[in-house]
Amino acid sequence: MSGVAVEPDVVVAALRAASVGRGDLVGLAVMPGVGVGLAAPELAAPVALAVEDPAAVVAMVEDELRPRWVIWSGATAARLVEAGVRLATAWDVAAVHRLLFGGWKAEPDRVWAALHDLDPGAVPTLPPLDLFSQPAHDDAAALVRPVRPDGYLEPRWVLGAAEDDPQRLARWAALALEAAALQERRLTALPAPDRARRAVRSESTAELLCAELSADGLPVDRDEAEAVIAGFVGPRPRTALEAAEQRAERDAAVLRLAPPGQQGVDLRSLPQVKSLLRRAGVEVPDTRKWRLEAMRDSHPLVAALLDWRKAERISTTFGYAWLDERLGVDGRLRGEWTGSDGAAGRMTASAGLHNMPAALRRAVVAEPGHVFVRADLGQIEPRVLAAVSGDRALAEATQEDDLYAPVAAQLGVDRATAKVAVLGAMYGQTTGHGAQALRGLQAAYPVAMAHLDEADRTAQGGWDVRTYGGRLVRMGFGPAGELTASQARARAAARGRYGRNAVIQGAAAELFKVWAVTVRARAAPLDARIVLCLHDELLVHVPTAHGDAVSSLLDDCLQESAARWAPDRSVRFLAETSVIGRWSDAKG
DNA sequence: TGCGGCTATTG
DNA sequence: CACAATAGCCGCAG
């Protein structure tokens, strides 16, 4: 089966003749400067086009037919975004693989092997090139045959052999489509196939969003950022020598408060810091911030050390080097985004976008003529617990703006205690102040608590768990043998807590992503772009004139998303929304 | 040079 | 100081 080369204006007609319409699957592979390959189930052979600008062809099909594009991974979306084309929807084979099989690795060879029940450990690789290796005599054969006789994908194709030839791009697109069909069959076998199919759509489209987030970046005002950093570590050093002097002076300011004879202590060495503190009469088992905070007044050295830590953190992780590396001349701070981490499936971002110190939020400023619309989901995890467990009593509590108020009343405790108990139940805390209230929870919300216990037991036994949307969360962490009895108990308990939390955190991540991709779609006509996703928070960059419209849109999208994610409408979800000029202006 | 431990920051 | 993540530096094994 080889691709048929056609002209761009024939493509839409060919796809339409093959009954491709809105939402139908179309396999896609592109390489700028080379061409594009397209495949559809009712197309006799995949279509190959040799074109300089494949994105233009894709855009044309998108406008005319708006299919659901089947791509091997977000890398395809990233190429298209680079070329100025944003897809509406996708079936991301790698994302679906992560959902179905767990873990993070989802290269085409591994995906293909899993779908054909082949040993993933035996996936073929290319022999390493060395001075003595001859070009393999079967190279030519490998280039026309992506699937080997033994059923594995040919490694040359996995490594990009398709990308220099339109005919091979077409074949590669057809294989993506074939992988999607096999994935669809696996979905059917899951406990809740319809939920999983909805998750496939939202998780795949979230990968498109990630490609855009990576390309667009977060609007950051460089002068503001430099001012915040300067407040912690002083002005930007002009030379390496100046930087070293600045650093040495920071160290010296702490050591001047140390007992005599301690001037040579390295503050970055934990054993040295511990002995330094001991000589100053401060005895601590470790030097964590919360522990030192309690000893702040016992010796001037402690307060100085805490300040030093703060400055050191800014200097090493969120300082001038960070800005230079991550903040573009266009005022956008860029990191790489992934749609799901290896565990429960939350989105992750590099470059510190998810753990930027709060002090830097004042540097996140909307561009001229724009505002941010920021919204965060209120008490998302207990509300998700109510939804995924089907606990009627807890669902009743979600009708209140503050869910902990009715829970506290039910348990006969104060709000703070109720909150600690609920969070403790979801995180697996079994000791301390919450233990008493935990028994109250068992009585008041038995369905929800049983749901958590079930996940805990499953994970403790080393069995994988699945989230509400069907994501497999693997439990095979840690080496197997050579454990003492108490180590084995600790391992089992850790697994239990992990599994208990994964079904909540993972389901919350699924709802969040439905919300995010819904906002992405609905807000695009208003020229609004999501610029940050933060687990339960969205930051949307919007032309000022549309600020209020997008603000109410975010809530509409949440209601729509919640109904789509969990069609039983018994649980109430809410978002707190504000229209602001800079991130630090938000109340939240 | 790679990896585990410790630390800080965020949700 | 429970659950998750990224990221930096130190100390140690190889």
Side-chain angles (χ1 to χ4, degrees):
Chain A
M1 178 167 67
S2 73
V4 179
V6 296
E7 294 304 310
D9 54 351
V10 182
V11 172
V12 171
L15 289 172
R16 194 174 269 134
S19 322
V20 171
R22 190 181 173 86
D24 292 332
L25 299 187
V26 171
L28 172 66
V30 295
M31 189 62 197
V34 175
V36 55
L38 302 167
E42 291 186 40
L43 212 51
V47 173
L49 290 94
V51 286
E52 271 300 305
D53 182 12
V57 177
V58 174
M60 188 170 69
V61 177
E62 178 82 337
D63 287 347
E64 296 281 332
L65 304 175
R66 223 227 65 176
R68 182 172 294 276
W69 298 100
V70 178
I71 53 181
W72 276 109
S73 76
T76 300
R79 278 179 194 168
L80 290 168
V81 168
E82 179 92 7
V85 173
R86 297 177 181 223
L87 306 178
T89 62
W91 180 299
D92 183 302
V93 171
V96 177
H97 177 81
R98 292 186 184 112
L99 184 97
L100 278 169
F101 295 97
W104 195 79
K105 288 188 190 138
E107 299 301 311
D109 48 3
R110 177 180 287 262
V111 171
W112 191 260
L115 290 170
H116 291 84
D117 295 314
L118 298 167
D119 177 8
V123 165
T125 55
L126 285 183
L129 282 176
D130 61 57
L131 287 174
F132 309 103
S133 66
Q134 302 291 323
H137 63 81
D138 60 359
D139 264 7
L143 285 179
V144 298
R145 187 206 59 193
V147 181
R148 305 179 357 152
D150 63 7
Y152 286 100
L153 282 188
E154 166 57 45
R156 285 166 186 79
W157 284 67
V158 176
L159 293 173
E163 292 172 357
D164 55 14
D165 175 71
Q167 301 289 340
R168 287 198 290 271
L169 282 171
R171 187 80 178 90
W172 199 229
L175 284 170
L177 188 67
E178 200 174 326
L182 293 168
Q183 290 180 325
E184 165 58 36
R185 269 203 251 162
R186 302 280 176 147
L187 292 172
T188 304
L190 292 185
D194 289 336
R195 288 210 300 261
R197 285 190 191 96
R198 290 197 292 272
V200 159
R201 296 198 289 271
S202 54
E203 298 288 315
S204 291
T205 304
E207 298 292 338
L208 303 178
L209 172 59
C210 285
E212 295 165 9
L213 287 164
S214 302
D216 292 345
L218 179 70
V220 166
D221 183 301
R222 183 182 302 272
D223 292 339
E224 285 284 354
E226 298 227 356
V228 172
I229 293 167
F232 286 99
V233 301
R236 181 189 274 273
R238 278 161 304 187
T239 63
L241 181 66
E242 239 178 65
E245 283 169 359
Q246 221 171 47
R247 200 171 106 139
E249 178 46 41
R250 272 207 307 276
D251 296 4
V254 177
L255 293 173
R256 276 197 283 277
L257 300 170
Q262 301 293 305
Q263 311 313 307
V265 167
D266 178 359
L267 295 173
R268 292 161 195 83
S269 163
L270 295 176
Q272 289 187 43
V273 167
K274 232 160 121 179
S275 88
L276 171 67
L277 288 169
R278 195 166 51 243
R279 280 168 216 259
V282 181
E283 197 71 46
V284 282
D286 59 61
T287 72
R288 286 182 174 86
K289 184 186 175 184
W290 65 272
R291 213 184 282 281
L292 293 180
E293 208 67 67
M295 316 284 287
R296 188 178 258 280
D297 299 325
S298 65
H299 194 288
L301 184 60
V302 177
L305 184 61
L306 284 164
D307 290 347
W308 179 90
R309 284 257 176 94
K310 187 158 250 169
E312 181 73 1
R313 168 136 176 96
I314 294 288
S315 167
T316 56
T317 309
F318 294 101
Y320 300 110
W322 172 68
L323 283 186
D324 293 345
E325 195 177 335
R326 296 298 184 166
L327 182 57
V329 292
D330 58 354
R332 295 297 181 110
L333 184 72
R334 289 184 179 79
E336 289 99 57
W337 287 78
T338 61
S340 77
D341 58 41
R346 296 218 289 202
M347 292 172 79
T348 62
S350 69
L353 285 163
H354 275 174
N355 57 348
M356 186 189 302
L360 278 159
R361 291 185 181 194
R362 53 173 292 147
V364 179
V365 182
E367 289 171 357
H370 290 72
V371 290
F372 289 128
V373 181
R374 173 204 172 272
D376 73 299
L377 302 178
Q379 304 168 340
I380 178 66
E381 291 193 333
R383 287 169 198 272
V384 161
L385 170 60
V388 302
S389 67
D391 189 301
R392 302 284 297 269
L394 193 56
E396 184 59 33
T398 66
Q399 301 310 312
E400 296 294 322
D401 285 3
D402 178 17
L403 163 152
Y404 296 119
V407 171
Q410 181 70 38
L411 268 56
V413 298
D414 62 22
R415 183 186 181 279
T417 303
K419 181 175 174 176
V420 167
V422 171
L423 293 176
M426 291 187 300
Y427 291 157
Q429 186 182 42
T430 52
T431 57
H433 187 48
Q436 173 69 29
L438 200 59
R439 279 192 286 280
L441 283 179
Q442 298 282 1
Y445 309 106
V447 177
M449 295 303 119
H451 186 83
L452 294 169
D453 288 342
E454 162 82 25
D456 195 310
R457 275 197 309 277
T458 305
Q460 279 216 32
W463 302 97
D464 301 336
V465 300
R466 274 193 196 274
T467 64
Y468 182 74
R471 178 180 299 280
L472 189 70
V473 181
R474 295 224 125 111
M475 285 303 151
F477 59 80
E482 306 300 319
L483 291 179
T484 68
S486 88
Q487 282 173 324
R489 267 197 307 279
R491 168 76 54 80
R495 277 203 184 114
R497 290 194 300 272
Y498 181 74
R500 172 184 284 268
N501 183 250
V503 295
I504 303 305
Q505 190 187 105
E510 284 155 12
L511 170 59
F512 177 80
K513 277 181 260 186
V514 176
W515 185 41
V517 300
T518 305
V519 169
R520 169 183 181 264
R522 299 270 187 283
L526 299 174
D527 293 320
R529 299 275 181 271
I530 297 174
V531 288
L532 192 72
C533 294
L534 201 45
H535 309 311
D536 66 351
E537 177 175 353
L538 283 175
L539 196 64
V540 191
H541 194 234
V542 188
T544 305
H546 296 148
D548 290 334
V550 170
S551 178
S552 54
L553 186 72
L554 280 171
D555 189 58
D556 295 346
C557 287
L558 175 59
Q559 300 317 319
E560 178 185 334
S561 303
R564 203 134 37 88
W565 175 69
D568 164 16
R569 301 290 295 266
S570 63
V571 173
R572 180 163 167 254
F573 290 93
L574 45 88
E576 188 181 291
T577 307
S578 48
V579 181
I580 51 181
R582 64 180 72 211
W583 196 13
S584 53
D585 292 343
K587 199 171 56 155

